[in-house]
């Protein structure tokens, strides 16, 4: 069956536009892996999909960092953007658009958006006094600061007192409209813990926020006043819109929002929740644009139970991790082990144990030994059984039949851990079924039909598991499908347009009589790191 774009609604998802004050960290990788998995799932279902990621490259922090390094801000950005692009390639991230906020076409969109808000009367010039965190690029309320006037997020850096003339956005005009938004659309902010944070913040009363800076060269000038530079968030958030338009078209706000807007899902870390769940919808209301479907703020990551940081000496380099263990291992662990939306922890021993148990032992060994039996007992082909004759209450068919909707719902709700757990339950049941039925013994007794029925049920369960896990572990799923005799490529973006998801996601698709590939490990068992010798 071949799908056309008219068959399924389009789906657009974004990561944050990452700030290039340094190379990407594991938190950036975590968000982008999740977005890639969601995008792959919707593509697999036949939806036209647009996945957007990119970099936020303006602001005082970038300018200062570049000066400290003795390079121009643009040279600094170019160097660190290459680091993001390299990591996404290593992690098998298949984004559709990579937007850089220094792109000239982005300036056109920002100016058009600014003009709409200006014409609405929601921008005015005023005096800004307060404590400013350069790392957050945000003024902080004094009640939110911690000891010695430090930012609650960047605790090792004191905030700076600012008293300057800026342009402001009238956020206070949108208090009632935002409260109505949150009441009418309770799923707009997810998960519920993030929604509650926003409701609490808004309830305190919204204050207008600055959208410009003076004495800052690195950024777009305010269209109505060249002495001011647009504040990084008013610039950066609009990158989501700029990225919607094909790069070979002249930039235009109206054309940018013509097809993919509104965004279905913004994935962010919880530290930038306020900008996306309060400032952003208010800005869009002012410009007369429709609002995104949902903003999902995930939790923070720790290492060995401790907050990560250079000062603690416990950073986790995502490049080192993926080069050591491979992209599927990294993708699987973070989405299997951590409930998306909550804080999560990385521990290398736990990492290796989870991967060995789930992918090497339960899934990989199951396929390997079943294929070898099929080679001996069924002439290297899928057992020639009547699939319709397999009882609905067959222990594996019953699980597999229910699994299709369970996993689809989990992916759509960003419940990646649930998708993995439910799918692994079928794999574990298959291992148990194989041991209990002992097809090797049935074969010796001359019970060929019974032998083939057992092997078919197990091979089909492995196939279904590989298909349902393919958004998370595409390379491993490719290897499984190849060994099962399919000419599939789960990294092909058009696969869902050519192959019916409903067929492959359901239990019972594996064609009887199909030649099987040669059994080989699909996931190499990992070794625990050797403890450092005592001095």
């Amino acid at each position: 069956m071949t799908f056309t774009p008219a068959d399924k609604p389009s789906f657009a998802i974004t990561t944050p536009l990452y700030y290039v004050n340094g190379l990407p960290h594991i938190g950036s990788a975590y968000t982008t892996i999740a977005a890639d998995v969601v995008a792959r799932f919707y593509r697999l279902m036949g939806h036209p999909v647009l996945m957007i990621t990119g970099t936020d490259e303006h602001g005082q922090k970038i300018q200062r960092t570049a000066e400290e390094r003795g390079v121009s801000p643009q040279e600094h950005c170019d160097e660190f953007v290459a680091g993001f692009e390299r990591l996404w390639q290593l992690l098998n991230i298949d984004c559709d658009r990579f937007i850089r906020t220094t792109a000239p076409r982005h300036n056109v969109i920002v100016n058009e958006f600014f003009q709409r808000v200006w014409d609405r009367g929601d921008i005015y010039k005023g005096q800004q006094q307060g404590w400013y965190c350069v790392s957050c690029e945000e003024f902080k309320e004094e009640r939110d600061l911690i000891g010695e006037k430090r930012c609650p997020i960047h605790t090792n850096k004191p905030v700076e007192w600012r008293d300057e003339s800026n342009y402001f956005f009238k956020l206070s005009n949108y208090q009632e409209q935002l409260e109505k938004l949150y009441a009418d659309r309770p799923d707009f902010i997810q998960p519920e813990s993030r929604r509650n944070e926003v409701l609490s913040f808004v309830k305190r009363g919204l204050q207008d926020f600055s959208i410009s800076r003076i004495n800052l060269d690195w950024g777009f000038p305010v269209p109505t006043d060249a002495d001011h530079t647009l504040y990084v968030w008013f610039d950066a958030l609009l990158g989501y819109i700029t990225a919607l338009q094909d790069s070979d078209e002249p930039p235009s706000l109206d054309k940018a929002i013509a097809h993919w807007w509104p965004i279905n899902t913004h994935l962010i870390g919880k530290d930038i929740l306020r900008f996306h769940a309060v400032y952003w919808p208010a800005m869009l209301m002012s410009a007369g644009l429709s609002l995104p479907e949902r903003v999902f703020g995930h939790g923070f990551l720790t290492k060995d139970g401790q907050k990560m940081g250079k000062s603690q000496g416990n950073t986790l380099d995502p490049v080192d991790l993926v080069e050591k263990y491979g992209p599927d291992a990294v993708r699987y662990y973070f989405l299997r082990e951590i409930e998306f939306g909550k804080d999560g922890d990385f521990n290398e021993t736990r990492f290796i144990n989870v991967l060995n148990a789930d992918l090497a032992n339960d899934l990989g060994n199951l396929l390997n030994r079943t294929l070898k039996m099929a080679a001996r007992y069924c002439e290297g082909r899928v057992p020639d059984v009547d699939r319709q004759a397999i009882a609905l209450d067959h222990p594996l068919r019953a699980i597999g039949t229910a699994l299709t909707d369970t996993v689809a719902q989990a992916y759509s709700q960003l419940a990646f851990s649930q998708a993995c757990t439910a799918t692994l339950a079928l794999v574990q049941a298959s291992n148990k079924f194989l041991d209990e039925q002992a097809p090797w013994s049935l074969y010796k007794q001359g019970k060929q039909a019974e032998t083939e029925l057992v092997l078919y049920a197990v091979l089909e369960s492995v196939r279904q598991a590989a298909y349902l896990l393919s958004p998370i572990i595409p390379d491993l799923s490719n290897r499984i499908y190849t060994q099962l005799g399919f000419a599939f490529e789960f990294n092909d973006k058009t696969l869902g347009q050519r192959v019916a998801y409903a067929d492959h996601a359901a239990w019972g698709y594996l064609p009887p009589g199909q030649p099987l590939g040669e059994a080989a490990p699909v996931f190499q068992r990992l070794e625990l790191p050797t403890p450092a010798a005592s001095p």
Side-chain angles (χ1 to χ4, degrees):
M1 178 179 180
T2 301
F3 297 105
T4 63
D7 293 319
K8 303 275 187 175
S10 61
F11 181 85
I13 186 170
T14 72
T15 73
L17 303 189
Y18 299 109
Y19 210 45
V20 290
N21 60 308
L23 289 171
H25 51 70
I26 195 64
S28 309
Y30 181 50
T31 318
T32 312
I33 291 169
D36 181 68
V37 167
V38 177
R40 286 174 180 268
F41 167 69
Y42 277 94
R43 288 191 199 109
L44 207 59
M45 291 189 71
H47 293 263
V49 171
L50 189 74
M51 176 189 163
I52 295 170
T53 188
T55 45
D56 174 8
E57 302 179 22
H58 286 140
Q60 189 171 62
K61 183 164 55 174
I62 298 297
Q63 182 170 304
R64 286 186 180 181
T65 303
E67 290 171 353
E68 291 168 0
R69 298 182 64 228
V71 298
S72 71
Q74 189 64 63
E75 289 173 326
H76 168 89
C77 292
D78 292 345
E79 177 183 340
F80 284 91
V81 164
F84 281 88
E85 293 175 329
R86 176 173 178 249
L87 178 59
W88 301 162
Q89 184 176 18
L90 288 172
L91 282 169
N92 205 359
I93 303 296
D94 198 2
C95 66
D96 299 290
R97 303 275 168 81
F98 189 103
I99 176 67
R100 298 183 60 179
T101 59
T102 49
R105 63 185 295 105
H106 179 55
N107 196 0
V108 175
I109 300 296
V110 170
N111 287 350
E112 289 188 21
F113 188 92
F114 179 94
Q115 192 63 48
R116 287 195 183 194
V117 179
W118 177 270
D119 292 344
R120 185 71 175 264
D122 282 335
I123 295 175
Y124 65 94
K125 194 174 185 179
Q127 196 71 15
Q128 175 87 51
Q129 288 185 328
W131 297 103
Y132 187 75
C133 175
V134 175
S135 295
C136 288
E137 295 283 9
E138 179 189 19
F139 279 93
K140 299 289 184 179
E141 295 186 29
E142 187 158 4
R143 61 187 172 184
D144 293 330
L145 299 178
I146 59 176
E148 298 181 350
K149 294 292 188 294
R150 295 181 182 273
C151 169
I153 297 174
H154 302 93
T155 56
N156 61 332
K157 297 180 180 179
V159 293
E160 301 176 4
W161 178 258
R162 298 288 177 86
D163 185 355
E164 57 189 39
S165 173
N166 292 325
Y167 284 90
F168 289 79
F169 173 75
K170 292 182 180 178
L171 182 64
S172 57
N173 279 2
Y174 293 88
Q175 176 90 31
E176 292 184 5
Q177 291 184 54
L178 287 171
E179 290 176 340
K180 186 176 186 303
L181 165 67
Y182 305 144
D184 292 348
R185 294 173 53 184
D187 292 335
F188 176 71
I189 305 168
Q190 298 178 19
E192 187 175 359
S193 58
R194 302 287 101 80
R195 168 179 158 80
N196 291 337
E197 290 176 30
V198 170
L199 293 179
S200 176
F201 171 76
V202 173
K203 188 177 180 180
R204 297 189 300 183
L206 294 175
Q207 299 179 5
D208 300 344
F209 66 90
S210 170
I211 63 167
S212 76
R213 293 288 178 273
I214 57 174
N215 302 320
L216 175 64
D217 299 326
W218 188 238
F220 296 142
V222 171
T224 57
D225 188 342
D227 291 334
H228 287 252
T229 299
L230 283 172
Y231 172 47
V232 62
W233 284 103
F234 198 88
D235 164 2
L237 288 166
L238 292 167
Y240 298 134
I241 293 179
T242 303
L244 298 174
Q245 190 176 7
D246 290 335
S247 59
D248 58 353
E249 296 179 350
S252 158
L253 179 57
D254 285 334
K255 290 182 179 179
I257 62 175
H259 178 54
W260 293 100
W261 188 263
I263 299 293
N264 297 88
T265 300
H266 286 306
L267 288 189
I268 60 169
K270 64 181 181 180
D271 55 323
I272 53 174
L273 178 66
R274 185 183 306 176
F275 302 106
H276 288 78
V278 181
Y279 295 2
W280 182 224
M283 289 163 55
L284 293 170
M285 290 174 182
S286 177
L289 302 186
S290 54
L291 304 185
E293 184 178 317
R294 67 175 167 182
V295 176
F296 194 106
H298 67 72
F300 289 152
L301 298 178
T302 56
K303 182 181 179 184
D304 300 326
Q306 302 294 319
K307 182 179 178 180
M308 283 185 270
K310 294 179 181 179
S311 59
Q312 287 87 352
N314 67 337
T315 55
L316 181 62
D317 187 339
V319 173
D320 289 347
L321 193 65
V322 72
E323 288 184 335
K324 184 176 181 180
Y325 294 112
D328 278 358
V330 177
R331 293 166 66 99
Y332 183 81
Y333 175 83
F334 282 101
L335 297 188
R336 160 73 168 86
E337 189 65 10
I338 300 169
E339 182 180 344
F340 199 66
K342 295 185 177 180
D343 293 346
D345 186 62
F346 175 85
N347 172 272
E348 190 170 19
T349 299
R350 175 66 180 162
F351 173 85
I352 290 173
N353 287 339
V354 166
L355 293 166
N356 283 341
D358 291 1
L359 303 186
N361 296 345
D362 287 347
L363 184 58
N365 285 349
L366 176 65
L367 172 65
N368 191 273
R369 62 181 181 144
T370 310
L371 278 177
K372 288 179 178 178
M373 282 187 274
R376 290 197 298 269
Y377 308 151
C378 309
E379 299 180 348
R381 293 179 177 273
V382 175
D384 191 10
V385 303
D386 180 1
R387 291 174 286 183
Q388 301 305 316
I390 300 176
L392 293 176
D393 62 354
H394 182 285
L396 299 187
R397 181 174 182 176
I399 297 173
T401 300
L403 188 62
T404 307
D405 290 341
T406 298
V407 171
Q409 185 177 32
Y411 277 128
S412 65
Q413 295 176 350
L414 311 184
F416 308 112
S417 182
Q418 291 181 24
C420 292
T421 301
T423 305
L424 260 291
L426 173 62
V427 173
Q428 291 158 357
S430 299
N431 274 296
K432 183 173 183 286
F433 178 77
L434 193 65
D435 290 338
E436 290 176 347
Q437 297 299 313
W440 52 89
S441 179
L442 294 173
Y443 182 76
K444 289 178 181 178
Q445 297 172 43
K447 297 179 178 180
Q448 182 67 24
E450 292 87 340
T451 300
E452 293 190 3
L453 184 59
V454 171
L455 294 181
Y456 180 88
V458 174
L459 288 172
E460 167 56 12
S461 297
V462 173
R463 183 212 61 79
Q464 187 189 26
Y467 188 81
L468 294 176
L469 289 175
S470 66
I472 298 175
I473 47 174
D475 290 344
L476 193 152
S477 294
N478 275 336
R479 291 192 287 272
I480 291 175
Y481 253 59
T482 297
Q483 292 186 28
L484 290 175
F486 293 97
F488 253 52
E489 176 51 68
F490 284 106
N491 290 311
D492 181 358
K493 288 184 176 181
T494 66
L495 180 64
Q497 299 290 328
R498 295 181 286 102
V499 174
Y501 174 86
D503 291 342
H504 281 259
W507 196 94
Y509 179 81
L510 187 62
Q514 176 168 285
L516 294 166
E518 185 176 348
V522 293
F523 187 87
Q524 295 290 346
R525 185 175 177 80
L526 305 176
E527 298 298 326
L528 290 169
T530 304
S534 300

